[in-house]
Every structure is written in structure tokens, then in C-alpha cells.
Amino acid sequence: MIIVGSVREGRFGPVVATWVAEQAREHGGFDIDVVDLADVEVPLSMPAVSPRFAGDSYPRPAGMASLTSHLQDADAFIVVTPEYNHSYPASLKAAIDWHFTQWRAKPVAFVSYGGAAGGRHAVLHLENVLTELHAVTIRDGLAFPNYFRAWEDGRPLDPEASGFAKTLLDQLAWWAAALRAARNSVPYPA
Ligand SMILES: Cc1cc2nc3c(=O)[nH]c(=O)nc-3n(C[C@H](O)[C@H](O)[C@H](O)COP(=O)(O)O)c2cc1C
């Protein structure tokens, strides 16, 4: 599952996500779903109880159902994120917070973009947050500094970008298979 994290008007996120999906298709190890948070109802106001304790009965809005079932069914995630004020967008935080078990014992890889830091501040925060949800974050992320100069016609100019994407996808596929087998054989102890 590839998640487009930004919902801003005129955002660049879908350009990156489309290229990432193409890389994943060429990799051949994945069935790919792209979910754009701009198409999802993700309110900031949440029910009183945490989704951690509410399980399947958690009262989510109807416009979030598709996101929830995609998260539930996915064996692996790629989060495509920009950097907003040295972190990641509120849209992404809200989408994460409305869920809990859907992330558990599953791998998450990151493709980021931004100014000088290439969105890495956002990724550091995401790694921290997703660890709290018992997700496993993939070390080799893909970052695009100064993305406004580094992309042309929907593709990165760096000829090595596809190679870096393959490394990320290889690691993600390895973790996805390992963690799916583990989830299926022994209940996760939390
Ligand atoms: C509210 C806001 C804060 C931003 N803060 C940062 C920042 O801290 N670091 C950075 O590299 N870029 C920052 N930017 C620039 C974004 O990286 C750039 O606008 C990028 O296109 C945002 O992704 P999007 O187009 O998918 O929304 C910020 C942009 C916005 C809208």
C-alpha cells in the first residue's frame, strides 16, 4: 500500500507516489494499492476512546472505510511524505492516529521530499510514531532534497534513483514476507 501523505492544494505528493508505484510494479514483488489521503475523510476530532482499545468496533467515519480496509489488508506500506515545519503533514498524523492494529507487525518504508533535508526530518518523526504502533520501519528510505530542481516530467533526474528504490523495495519485500509468516504462525504479543 502506497500512501500519499499530503493533501495540500497544488501538492507534489502524487507525482512522487506515481513514480514510486511504477518502481514497485517494475520490481514485481508486490500487488500495489495507492491510497491518496486527499480522497479520504480524516477528521481531526476523534472518539473518546483510543483505537488501540476499541478494536474492530471503533467508530470511524464512513469516508474512512476504504482507507481502514486497505490498511487492514496490506502486508507492507510505503509512505510518501513531504516535510512541513521539520515534520510530516497533519493529514498523515490523523490517518495514522485513527488506526492501531492495522499497522501492527507490518513493515513501513518511506519516500520523502522537501528542501535541503529531503524530508528526512519528517521521516525521523514517522519512524518514532510508527514504532509506537508496533510497525517495523525500513532503514533504507529514499529522499529527494530540493525536489523542485530534482524532478522533471514526473521522474527524478538522478539516474541512481531507481536503484535506490529497488534497494528499498527489496528490503520491504523481505520484511513483508517475514512478518506475514510470523503473524500467521504466532499471535503478536501485544
Ligand atoms: C506548511 C509548510 C511547511 C513547510 N516546511 C518545510 C520544512 O520544514 N522543510 C522543508 O524542506 N520544506 C518545507 N516545506 C516545503 C515543502 O517541502 C514543499 O512545499 C513540498 O512541495 C510540500 O509537499 P506537497 O507539495 O506534497 O504538499 C513546507 C511547506 C509547507 C506547506
Side-chain angles (χ1 to χ4, degrees):
M1 177 177 177
I2 297 169
I3 302 171
V4 185
S6 65
V7 299
R8 190 177 66 92
E9 199 178 311
R11 69 220 158 107
F12 190 66
V15 175
V16 180
T18 300
W19 179 82
V20 170
E22 187 186 304
Q23 302 304 303
R25 226 168 276 124
E26 282 173 16
H27 179 275
F30 300 90
D31 293 325
I32 302 147
D33 282 320
V34 179
V35 173
D36 186 340
L37 294 184
D39 300 331
V40 180
E41 185 185 356
V42 190
L44 292 180
S45 174
M46 298 180 71
V49 68
S50 159
R52 178 176 173 197
F53 303 111
D56 291 341
S57 65
Y58 198 57
R60 296 185 180 89
M64 194 184 282
S66 165
L67 170 67
T68 302
S69 71
H70 277 100
L71 289 169
Q72 185 71 42
D73 294 347
D75 287 321
F77 304 104
I78 300 177
V79 174
V80 175
T81 185
E83 180 170 315
Y84 288 179
N85 297 322
H86 281 199
S87 190
Y88 56 97
S91 44
L92 197 45
K93 184 65 163 67
I96 291 169
D97 287 349
W98 273 95
H99 299 90
F100 192 86
T101 53
Q102 292 80 6
W103 300 105
R104 191 167 60 196
K106 295 180 183 178
V108 188
F110 304 99
V111 178
S112 62
Y113 54 97
R120 287 300 296 174
H121 296 113
V123 172
L124 291 172
H125 287 183
L126 280 162
E127 287 173 343
N128 197 15
V129 167
L130 287 161
T131 300
E132 170 65 11
L133 301 172
H134 300 270
V136 174
T137 58
I138 301 303
R139 179 198 179 274
D140 283 33
L142 195 48
F144 293 101
N146 299 325
Y147 73 93
F148 36 86
R149 285 200 293 269
W151 285 65
E152 206 171 272
D153 299 329
R155 317 192 66 76
L157 293 170
D158 182 351
E160 293 194 80
S162 287
F164 291 132
K166 185 176 179 320
T167 301
L168 175 153
L169 290 162
D170 285 345
Q171 292 179 3
L172 187 63
W174 189 94
W175 278 106
L179 291 174
R180 181 172 54 190
R183 289 196 309 275
N184 289 341
S185 65
V186 187
Y188 185 76

